[in-house]
Amino acid sequence: MDYRDKLKYLRIYHELEQKDIAAVCGVTVSTVSSWETKRNHLTIDSLARLCEYYKISCNSLLGLPEYDPIKPLW
């Protein structure tokens, strides 16, 4: 699942509209729509705002493994 699919899922799961997400990120509704239809990618700023809003990590949203700073990488 692409991270933009996850964004749409999270929005619908939390019973939000695109205008709500647009307000969180400081963008237009058409920008949010373009993310969800995979016409555009999020900016890092918007990604950070959404992760903070939903209380999830960027890695979780992007489908990356969680990084443990205590555990060595090798």
Side-chain angles (χ1 to χ4, degrees):
M1 177 183 284
D2 186 89
Y3 74 92
R4 292 165 293 185
D5 295 323
K6 290 180 184 179
L7 285 177
K8 185 174 182 178
Y9 171 82
L10 284 168
R11 180 179 61 78
I12 293 169
Y13 179 81
H14 290 279
E15 299 178 352
L16 299 168
E17 296 182 10
Q18 288 181 339
K19 68 179 180 175
D20 302 318
I21 300 305
V24 168
C25 294
V27 299
T28 64
V29 173
S30 63
T31 298
V32 175
S33 175
S34 72
W35 296 338
E36 292 184 359
T37 56
K38 301 181 184 180
R39 290 187 315 243
N40 286 315
H41 292 278
L42 279 78
T43 63
I44 291 174
D45 183 56
S46 294
L47 175 65
R49 287 180 186 203
L50 286 170
C51 289
E52 184 177 337
Y53 180 77
Y54 287 123
K55 307 280 190 259
I56 60 173
S57 71
C58 291
N59 281 2
S60 174
L61 182 60
L62 297 173
L64 301 171
E66 294 298 323
Y67 171 70
D68 183 353
I70 306 300
K71 183 178 177 183
L73 296 175
W74 54 92

